[in-house]
């Protein structure tokens, strides 16, 4: 039998009523004769609640204990969803990451999947069962529970689909596909019907939050089609696969709202030590070299830790400048770098959008802007680069 992997995010399983609705998606695939594996996130807001509780007890809880704590969110979901499936007469079983054979390295809070032993899952499928797996988690070779960081459940789903040679991996979310920008912020954003793996990787790497780059890489490596679709509204969604590619030069506008920057000036040979230390702490850092400066772009949550690391090498540079309350916005696609930078600069000037820095990368043109301006910037760039859904714009106007 063919295998379909379905992933339901936290919003999709946020209440028991929504879980009941998700059962219909599982039934639909079962009625087509597919074996089904369901991967779930923690129920909506559960992770936030657990983080808050930890913060009430400790100003700096250990990463190991945080992984032990946060992994329980998915365990609640898999049990409840399995109960809902069983209530509908569907033979099913829930498995934690460990029970599903998901092996990771030992990086607490941001572990990577190293291998998957699929024996248990295959055994359950052979009995005709639907297998419900906890996303976002795994176990090390020493038996330690780990979590996979941002987008962890997407990564779990794609990795399982790859390991089991699934026909497809469906990612159910609160939007009905991948858009040219976040439709909640840019109302004229257009849905994209098909994307190649590389195009989706570019969008995800630059901040599009629909899929995590790790998930896309797993799917690409093993040629598993991904489908991003709505958990609430029926529709074809966006298909991400090897054989699809858009001809449009501009793919979309992506942004990351909570960004901080450390500008290290006058590096005197300590650059490699700083970068090595950041890498050893598994902190996602975008690095830009500009004249004698090393610019580090990090998420707000990592800002203090990056400051601490950089401060250890104060003999290796002349000065540092720190800036918070910034956002990063990117125009993704095939753009002439000089004309693109000049175009974005002029747009920001004309529209009174405060910017810190503009640079080019293989993915397109990016800029750091005042956080208060990022939503306005996204809407304006989307329109100026010809991405607005014309029919929708007419309806709005």
């Amino acid at each position: 039998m063919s295998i379909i992997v379905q992933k339901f995010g936290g919003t999709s399983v946020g209440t028991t009523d929504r879980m009941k609705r998700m059962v219909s998606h599982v039934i639909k695939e079962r009625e087509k004769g597919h074996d089904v594996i369901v991967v779930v996130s923690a129920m909506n807001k559960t992770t936030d609640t657990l983080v808050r509780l930890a913060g009430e007890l400790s100003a700096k809880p250990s990463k190991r204990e945080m992984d032990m704590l946060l992994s329980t969110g998915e365990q609640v979901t898999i049990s409840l969803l399995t109960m809902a499936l069983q209530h509908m007469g569907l033979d099913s079983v829930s498995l934690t990451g460990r029970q599903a054979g998901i092996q990771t390295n030992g990086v607490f809070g941001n572990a990577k999947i190293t291998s998957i032993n699929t024996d248990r899952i295959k055994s359950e499928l052979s009995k005709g069962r639907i297998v419900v797996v906890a996303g976002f988690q795994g176990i090390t070779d020493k038996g330690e529970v780990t979590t996979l960081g941002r987008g962890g459940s997407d990564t779990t789903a794609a990795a399982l689909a790859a390991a089991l040679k699934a026909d497809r991996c469906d990612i159910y979310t609160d939007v009905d596909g991948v858009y040219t920008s976040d439709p909640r912020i840019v109302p004229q954003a257009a849905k994209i019907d098909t994307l190649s793996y590389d195009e989706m990787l570019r969008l995800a790497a630059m901040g599009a939050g629909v899929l995590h780059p790790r998930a896309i890489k797993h799917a690409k490596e093993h040629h598993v089609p991904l489908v991003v679709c709505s958990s609430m509204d029926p529709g074809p969604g966006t298909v991400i696969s090897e054989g699809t590619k858009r001809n449009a030069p501009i793919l979309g506008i992506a942004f990351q709202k909570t960004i901080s920057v450390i500008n290290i000036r006058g590096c005197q040979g300590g650059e490699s030590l700083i970068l090595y230390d950041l890498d050893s702490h598994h902190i996602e850092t975008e690095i830009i070299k500009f004249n004698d400066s090393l610019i580090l772009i990090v998420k707000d949550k990592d800002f203090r830790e990056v400051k601490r690391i950089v401060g250890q090498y104060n003999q290796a540079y002349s000065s540092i400048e720190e800036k918070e309350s910034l956002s990063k916005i990117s125009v993704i696609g095939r753009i002439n770098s000089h004309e693109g930078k000049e175009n974005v600069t002029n747009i920001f000037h004309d529209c009174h959008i405060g910017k810190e820095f503009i640079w080019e990368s293989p993915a397109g043109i990016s800029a750091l802007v005042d956080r208060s301006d990022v939503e306005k910037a996204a809407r304006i760039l989307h329109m100026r680069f010809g991405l607005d859904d014309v029919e929708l714009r007419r309806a709005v106007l």
Side-chain angles (χ1 to χ4, degrees):
M1 294 175 69
S2 55
I3 296 174
I4 301 295
V5 175
Q6 298 178 316
K7 181 262 177 176
F8 299 133
T11 304
S12 303
V13 291
T15 65
T16 52
D17 284 340
R18 288 189 175 183
M19 285 188 194
K20 291 174 185 177
R21 289 185 209 162
M22 295 309 100
V23 169
S24 65
H25 294 294
V26 181
I27 291 173
K28 180 180 175 182
E29 296 302 333
R30 285 288 286 182
E31 288 178 343
K32 293 178 181 177
H34 299 306
D35 279 336
V36 181
I37 297 145
V38 181
V39 176
V40 295
S41 301
M43 295 173 70
N44 198 29
K45 304 298 183 184
T46 297
T47 301
D48 291 342
T49 300
L50 295 174
V51 170
R52 178 180 56 77
L53 290 171
E56 291 174 3
L57 296 171
S58 172
K60 194 175 181 181
S62 77
K63 291 185 177 181
R64 179 191 184 276
E65 297 310 321
M66 285 303 295
D67 275 10
M68 286 289 286
L69 176 66
L70 298 182
S71 65
T72 64
E74 280 72 20
Q75 191 165 332
V76 170
T77 314
I78 59 173
S79 299
L80 290 173
L81 185 58
T82 301
M83 291 175 193
L85 290 165
Q86 291 172 347
H87 179 72
M88 294 298 293
L90 299 166
D91 193 5
S92 54
V93 62
S94 64
L95 300 178
T96 64
R98 177 186 66 79
Q99 292 171 321
I102 298 172
Q103 198 86 14
T104 75
N105 62 15
V107 180
F108 294 115
N110 195 29
K112 292 183 180 179
I113 296 173
T114 55
S115 64
I116 299 179
N117 184 333
T118 59
D119 290 349
R120 175 69 186 274
I121 293 177
K122 287 179 177 177
S123 173
E124 300 294 351
L125 292 177
S126 71
K127 298 170 187 173
R129 290 175 175 160
I130 295 163
V131 181
V132 183
V133 178
F136 181 63
Q137 63 181 251
I139 194 165
T140 70
D141 56 4
K142 294 180 180 178
E144 298 282 8
V145 174
T146 55
T147 63
L148 307 181
R150 188 175 70 86
S153 293
D154 289 346
T155 303
T156 300
L160 282 172
L164 291 159
K165 296 180 172 57
D167 287 39
R168 197 178 72 240
C169 179
D170 294 339
I171 308 291
Y172 287 92
T173 182
D174 54 357
V175 293
D176 60 347
V178 180
Y179 279 70
T180 50
S181 194
D182 187 337
R184 293 165 293 194
I185 305 301
V186 184
Q188 281 76 38
K191 186 166 81 74
I192 303 170
D193 294 328
T194 60
L195 285 165
S196 69
Y197 294 120
D198 288 337
E199 287 171 333
M200 189 66 236
L201 271 171
R202 288 161 72 189
L203 287 167
M206 300 304 278
V210 179
L211 278 174
H212 194 276
R214 285 188 195 175
I216 305 160
K217 287 175 183 176
H218 278 291
K220 178 184 177 182
E221 184 178 349
H222 297 273
H223 316 292
V224 178
L226 296 169
V227 180
V228 178
C229 47
S230 171
S231 56
M232 302 299 172
D233 301 315
T238 298
V239 178
I240 301 152
S241 64
E242 208 162 27
T244 58
K245 191 171 184 180
R246 301 173 76 236
N247 293 320
I250 308 297
L251 285 172
I253 308 295
F255 52 89
Q256 296 170 283
K257 283 190 174 182
T258 52
I259 292 293
S260 296
V261 174
I262 297 178
N263 186 354
I264 307 170
R265 293 195 175 97
C267 286
Q268 300 167 8
E271 176 184 312
S272 59
L273 290 173
I274 294 171
L275 298 181
Y276 178 82
D277 207 343
L278 289 170
D279 188 59
S280 68
H281 282 79
H282 306 282
I283 297 172
E284 291 183 27
T285 310
E286 186 167 359
I287 301 155
I288 302 170
K289 296 179 182 179
F290 183 72
N291 295 332
D292 68 339
S293 291
L294 186 68
I295 301 171
L296 306 179
I297 301 172
V298 300
K299 296 181 176 68
D300 279 1
K301 68 181 181 65
D302 296 322
F303 184 56
R304 287 187 180 180
E305 181 68 1
V306 173
K307 275 177 61 177
R308 184 192 67 78
I309 291 169
V310 172
Q312 296 177 129
Y313 301 97
N314 57 11
Q315 302 298 317
Y317 53 82
S318 58
S319 66
I320 63 171
E321 181 183 6
E322 303 162 4
K323 290 207 173 181
E324 299 179 77
S325 298
L326 295 174
S327 295
K328 175 188 167 186
I329 190 163
S330 302
V331 181
I332 305 160
R334 301 188 300 274
I335 310 169
N336 178 290
S337 61
H338 176 72
E339 290 180 4
K341 286 174 66 175
E342 186 175 355
N343 195 4
V344 171
T345 299
N346 291 337
I347 290 169
F348 285 171
H349 179 268
D350 293 344
C351 300
H352 308 289
I353 294 169
K355 74 176 192 315
E356 291 291 327
F357 187 63
I358 297 180
W359 71 100
E360 71 262 13
S361 71
I365 304 293
S366 297
L368 296 175
V369 300
D370 293 339
R371 194 168 297 173
S372 60
D373 285 336
V374 66
E375 294 186 7
K376 173 184 175 183
R379 289 189 286 269
I380 291 169
L381 289 175
H382 196 274
M383 178 180 66
R384 292 288 189 92
F385 279 88
L387 293 169
D388 278 11
D389 184 320
V390 177
E391 293 302 320
L392 182 58
R393 188 168 186 82
R394 284 175 184 159
V396 171
L397 295 174

